[in-house]
Amino acid sequence: MTSVTLKGIEGREITVQTGLFINNEYVTATNGATLEVENPSTATRLATVAAAQSEDIDRAVQSSEKAFGSWKKVDPTVRRDLLNKLADLIERDAPIIASLEALESGMLYRNCLASNIPVATGNLRYFAGWADKIDGLSLPIPQGVAYTRREPIGVCAAIVPWNTSMIFFWKLSVAIAAGNTLIMKTSEQTPLWGQKVAELIKEAGFPPGVINILTGFGNIAGQALSEHPRIRKIAFTGSTATGRKIMQAAARTNLKKVTLELGGKGPTIIFDDANFDNAVFWATLGITHSNAQLCLAGSRIYVQDTIYEKFLVEFSKRSRDAVHGDPLLADTTKGAVSSKAHLDKILSYVERGKADGLRLLHGGNKLSGDGYYVANTAFADVDQSHAIMREEIFGPVAGIAPFKTEEEAIEKANDSEYGLNAAVFTNNVNRAMRVSNAIEAGTVTVNSWGRPNANTPFGGVKQSGFGRDSGHEALESWLVTKTIKYAVLE
Ligand code: NAD
């Protein structure tokens, strides 16, 4: 199978295998099907990789089934040690993985290194710790005794988006700790770092077929996984629209278990008793970090009317000074967005805001260069009914509005079909608790934003989906409980 050599951080040459990773080998896709990977920072072709067809999904399922036969019998400490070993290798090769992610996604190299890699290794090590602690219960029953076994589901699949490599590790670490075999489909836009991780999976010593990694298009490979009658569970992170299709496919075929982590339209609520500088810092980061191509982006900012105008001035000041360009360079503070189509989508919201006469605080334009750069943009005084407040833009476009009372802030925050992530800024501990309890979201952070932790569950409510990544709770969705009953004979 072929490979491609790219230039990463400090000109370092990085060779990446371009085939499908099945049975610990890289193989070509059926009929030699391929897909092109673009560098969004330069709008040039980066690589050509294999594009899995439905026949390839069958091959991966066969490999996973075969592997599961022995994998389910290995001592859990083997799973623990392999996950820890993989974390070590990822740490060793962090500059390579972060370079690849920066090149294909436009995300800043230093953010890949400082955020994504520690989340990856943190989750691998956290779930390595759980692998040998998956216990059942002993239950008294009138006829004797019962006990439960928490068993792996079997052959599972995961489909992940392009916006951050964290999600891949959220799913892989827990799926494998629970004793399943896993077929992972990476995003067609960012398959390269996953190809490198596949090499490390083999180097760590995972048996062939325990983890298969496939590159491919959503409507071919993703759909074939969702419909496959011998895949028992599918874990998905991506858009709400695709989540719906996956659930329908599972319902149409074998009723495989589905967990969905979908879109978000996160509220950031700032009360006038908050530490102002801290609130401005996190509110800015929440809608500019990684161009807000994050499901947990704080894209609706509600500020108490008493500090509203002051906030607008400071927020705007901080959001304007981005230096856009090559994500591998240390001076760059803003990368490109993921693709031309995505840039056009973001700009269409910006144009809509302008056309509707919204108060443009800053930005509102494409930035110079061949790549897909868009200025940090903010609209103030945005009505709750406007698309800027209702739809997930997945770009650095903030909608800001004032509120008077705590009740009004909660009402506005909850006035959304999404419910993934929220941030609340206040120094009043009682208010912090009241508001956090009242907000409809999977995660509420007080006086900060973002920063996922391996031991805290992450996922949504409402149309942000169901199921959790990270934390002990995530284990449950990768296990099935079997009850064994003993009747004691007289
Ligand atoms: P997407 O839904 O277009 O694609 C995600 C993945 O699904 C890709 O691997 C794609 O190939 C695959 N896919 C596409 N069509 C498919 C189909 N018909 N059947 C099966 N698979 C298919 O999303 P995206 O543009 O890659 O990612 C952005 C979205 O992801 C945003 O909506 C964002 O909010 C969401 N997201 C959610 C979380 C979370 O944890 N809740 C995290 C990150 C991103």
Side-chain angles (χ1 to χ4, degrees), residues 159-164 167 170 185-189 216-224 226 236-243 245-246 260-264 293-296 392 394 418 420 458-460 464 469:
I159 300 179
V160 293
W162 47 264
N163 63 322
T164 160
I167 298 161
W170 283 348
K185 192 196 88 62
T186 49
S187 168
E188 54 270 50
Q189 291 183 54
F217 291 107
N219 61 351
I220 301 171
Q223 190 173 330
S226 320
F236 171 73
T237 294
S239 63
T240 300
T242 304
K245 288 186 193 163
I246 289 174
L260 302 176
E261 306 249 16
L262 308 174
Q293 297 171 112
L294 296 167
C295 52
L296 44 69
E392 185 185 45
F394 221 57
Y418 293 111
L420 190 66
F458 182 77
S464 290
D469 284 322

Side-chain angles (χ1 to χ4, degrees), residues 284-302:
T284 310
L285 204 71
I287 190 62
T288 56
H289 183 79
S290 206
N291 279 309
Q293 297 171 112
L294 296 167
C295 52
L296 44 69
S299 49
R300 296 184 286 148
I301 304 176
Y302 301 112

Side-chain angles (χ1 to χ4, degrees), residues 6-58:
L6 301 165
K7 279 213 183 334
I9 190 75
E10 290 161 358
R12 190 168 169 169
E13 289 207 336
I14 302 173
T15 299
V16 186
Q17 301 299 317
T18 55
L20 309 173
F21 185 73
I22 301 177
N23 251 340
N24 280 5
E25 302 297 338
Y26 290 94
V27 295
T28 44
T30 301
N31 298 328
T34 56
L35 63 86
E36 305 276 292
V37 186
E38 193 184 17
N39 179 344
S41 309
T42 54
T44 54
R45 194 183 69 83
L46 203 51
T48 303
V49 303
Q53 306 298 296
S54 63
E55 295 87 338
D56 303 313
I57 303 298
D58 283 338

Side-chain angles (χ1 to χ4, degrees), residues 2 21 28 33 62 69 73 84 88 131 166 184 195 203 213 255 277 287 307 321 333 337 350 355 409 415 422:
T2 54
F21 185 73
T28 44
Q62 269 172 31
K73 294 181 197 142
N84 278 325
D88 294 345
M166 284 179 195
M184 175 74 77
Q195 296 295 96
E203 185 182 341
I213 298 181
L255 286 175
D277 286 344
I287 190 62
I307 55 165
D321 59 2
T333 60
V337 299
V350 171
D415 179 21

Side-chain angles (χ1 to χ4, degrees), residues 200-487:
L200 304 185
I201 285 167
K202 184 170 179 176
E203 185 182 341
F206 282 94
V210 168
I211 305 170
N212 292 318
I213 298 181
L214 305 183
T215 48
F217 291 107
N219 61 351
I220 301 171
Q223 190 173 330
L225 285 169
S226 320
E227 290 176 342
H228 205 285
R230 299 207 310 280
I231 292 175
R232 300 294 166 197
K233 164 175 173 140
I234 192 153
F236 171 73
T237 294
S239 63
T240 300
T242 304
R244 250 181 246 288
K245 288 186 193 163
I246 289 174
M247 210 163 159
Q248 283 164 354
R252 256 198 330 270
T253 55
N254 66 337
L255 286 175
K256 59 179 66 63
K257 185 170 178 162
V258 176
T259 51
L260 302 176
E261 306 249 16
L262 308 174
K265 190 72 191 170
T268 296
I269 304 174
I270 304 172
F271 289 96
D272 61 6
D273 60 12
N275 176 322
F276 185 77
D277 286 344
N278 180 61
V280 178
F281 173 82
W282 288 110
T284 310
L285 204 71
I287 190 62
T288 56
H289 183 79
S290 206
N291 279 309
Q293 297 171 112
L294 296 167
C295 52
L296 44 69
S299 49
R300 296 184 286 148
I301 304 176
Y302 301 112
V303 185
Q304 200 150 26
D305 52 358
T306 41
I307 55 165
Y308 185 68
E309 290 299 330
K310 180 180 166 198
F311 173 84
L312 295 184
V313 172
E314 283 306 312
F315 173 79
S316 208
K317 231 190 260 174
R318 280 185 202 240
S319 306
R320 280 168 199 258
D321 59 2
V323 180
H324 70 283
D326 184 344
L328 294 174
L329 298 180
D331 292 343
T332 308
T333 60
K334 182 184 189 53
V337 299
S338 66
S339 67
K340 171 80 166 64
H342 194 47
L343 175 73
D344 290 345
K345 178 186 159 189
I346 296 168
L347 290 174
S348 76
Y349 278 101
V350 171
E351 289 313 315
R352 197 159 155 191
K354 288 187 199 166
D356 292 342
L358 297 186
R359 177 180 166 197
L360 181 66
L361 271 188
H362 54 256
N365 55 293
K366 182 183 178 313
L367 295 171
S368 60
D370 294 331
Y372 309 128
Y373 298 100
V374 56
N376 293 338
T377 299
F379 292 102
D381 314 339
V382 187
D383 190 82
Q384 193 63 17
S385 63
H386 197 278
I388 298 272
M389 285 305 206
R390 305 211 74 79
E391 294 171 26
E392 185 185 45
I393 301 173
F394 221 57
V397 182
I400 313 178
F403 69 86
K404 276 192 192 329
T405 63
E406 191 177 306
E407 293 68 30
E408 185 189 348
I410 293 168
E411 194 184 314
K412 284 186 163 162
N414 286 343
D415 179 21
S416 171
E417 271 312 308
Y418 293 111
L420 190 66
N421 188 60
V424 179
F425 293 86
T426 174
N427 276 344
N428 177 334
V429 70
N430 294 315
R431 167 174 279 163
M433 284 204 181
R434 279 194 306 270
V435 176
S436 312
N437 290 346
I439 286 185
E440 296 164 355
T443 303
V444 182
T445 305
V446 177
N447 291 333
S448 181
W449 167 86
R451 301 202 279 189
N453 304 99
N455 63 341
T456 59
F458 182 77
V461 300
K462 302 198 274 191
Q463 292 195 38
S464 290
F466 46 83
R468 294 291 178 266
D469 284 322
S470 299
H472 179 205
E473 204 173 320
L475 256 184
E476 300 307 322
S477 65
W478 293 90
L479 293 165
V480 282
T481 300
K482 180 189 281 173
T483 305
I484 298 170
K485 294 181 178 184
Y486 274 72

